[in-house]
Amino acid sequence: YGMAGLALSLGAALTGLGALLLRLLPGRRPAGEQEVLDWFDAWLARYRPTVGLYFSGGASSAYQANMWLEPLARLDGRPVIVLRERHMVQRIAATDIPVVCLPKVSTLMRLEHSTLRVLLHPSNSGKTSQVLRIPTIKHAFVNHGESDKLSSCNPYAKAYDEVWVAGPAARERYALAEVGVEDKDVVEIGRPQLDAVRPYAGPPAPGAFTTVLYAPTWEGWDGNPGNTSVVEAGENLVRALLADPGVRLLYKPHPLTGSVDPRARAADLRIRELVRAANRQRGGPRPDVSAA
């Protein structure tokens, strides 16, 4: 048994050594830093990106970038997604838009000599200031949603060339907040994520559903009870809607709901159970997607 064990160990060691030697072959070695940078410069020259989405953040914040992927893909020009953390590459939703990850500031600065002219910023982060140094790029803050929370009139917004908002309410919010964002830098673009929603065309046909989307925001980092409707009104609102057999309810809470205020988390769970219970009670086929 001793000789057999020795032979087995020797065989495993030789196998591992062989695999290592294969990786050291010129065609199998991981590319060095300069080789990668040369490839990146060549790719920039070949692809010639014109507009990009810049994003940096933690694992739980990927939704902030993902909500802008479809609008970005519909833009004229050649879009690109610029990430700063490698872990975020795996969390970006499926897209045909090229994705580059540039952890180092020195690599990021290579964008200054590219054809990239506009960067959209769906969030503020510590690394945002690094890319704002590039003078050849116009930086527009698009946020990842709007509400009456303080984050929707953050003083950091004045660091950007322009602040793109949904409409007059957001423009007025910045004016009232007096955080240094000039009115001339606020641009109303609507809410591209809602482009697929059809305008009102009269009451639904007999037997058809009226679709109601309830998409409350979260309680915010300050836990202000006025930030979200989930705690005080969510359950009553959902109960009333579900009591109407002609209503199809879509409940889409903010991903961070309940992360600060336990009451919001508890209310969210109760609302989800109300929706599940209604699904169990209602028979017949589910409404077609077009009913939305």
Side-chain angles (χ1 to χ4, degrees), residues 15-25:
T15 300
L17 179 60
L20 178 61
L21 290 174
L22 282 175
R23 288 184 60 84
L24 293 177
L25 292 174

Side-chain angles (χ1 to χ4, degrees), residues 25-39:
L25 292 174
R28 301 291 295 273
R29 282 187 292 105
E33 182 176 4
Q34 188 57 51
E35 188 177 353
V36 172
L37 292 177
D38 291 342
W39 176 91

Side-chain angles (χ1 to χ4, degrees), residues 59-284:
S60 63
S61 63
Y63 72 93
Q64 299 173 356
N66 287 333
M67 67 181 295
W68 282 101
L69 298 186
E70 289 188 17
L72 181 65
R74 295 198 300 266
L75 293 178
D76 293 332
R78 292 172 295 280
V80 64
I81 299 169
V82 180
L83 304 178
R84 300 301 307 281
E85 294 85 16
R86 290 188 175 90
H87 68 81
M88 193 58 67
V89 176
Q90 303 300 322
R91 291 173 171 80
I92 291 295
T95 178
D96 292 330
I97 303 173
V99 178
V100 297
C101 183
L102 309 176
K104 290 186 176 181
V105 177
S106 58
T107 308
L108 182 69
M109 291 299 109
R110 301 175 99 86
L111 296 178
E112 180 176 356
H113 305 292
S114 73
T115 54
L116 190 62
R117 289 296 172 262
V118 178
L119 271 180
L120 308 181
H121 298 261
S123 69
N124 300 310
S125 74
K127 295 180 181 178
T128 299
S129 62
Q130 296 172 348
V131 75
L132 292 179
R133 304 175 192 175
I134 301 179
T136 56
I137 298 176
K138 173 176 283 189
H139 300 273
F141 181 56
V142 295
N143 213 333
H144 50 275
E146 295 177 15
S147 70
D148 288 329
K149 297 194 302 296
L150 293 177
S151 59
S152 289
C153 51
N154 192 319
Y156 197 107
K158 62 187 175 186
Y160 301 94
D161 296 300
E162 293 182 348
V163 178
W164 294 2
V165 300
R171 179 186 295 276
E172 182 180 358
R173 187 181 299 116
Y174 274 109
L176 293 175
E178 297 182 343
V179 292
V181 176
E182 297 187 34
D183 187 71
K184 65 179 180 63
D185 296 329
V186 178
V187 181
E188 298 177 23
I189 66 167
R191 180 52 61 184
Q193 290 82 1
L194 300 180
D195 285 349
V197 178
R198 297 191 300 271
Y200 178 73
F209 286 93
T210 296
T211 300
V212 177
L213 170 64
Y214 178 40
T217 189
W218 68 305
E219 61 271 26
W221 295 115
D222 59 353
N224 189 321
N227 286 339
T228 178
S229 63
V230 170
V231 176
E232 300 294 339
E235 289 179 81
N236 290 336
L237 178 62
V238 168
R239 288 182 189 277
L241 290 170
L242 294 177
D244 188 336
V247 168
R248 176 196 183 211
L249 173 65
L250 302 179
Y251 176 53
K252 190 178 187 302
H254 191 287
L256 296 181
T257 297
S259 59
V260 170
D261 190 341
R263 297 175 303 165
R265 176 60 177 164
D268 172 56
L269 292 175
R270 291 193 295 269
I271 291 173
R272 291 172 186 266
E273 181 52 38
L274 288 173
V275 174
R276 284 192 290 266
N279 284 334
R280 291 192 295 266
Q281 293 172 5
R282 291 187 179 185

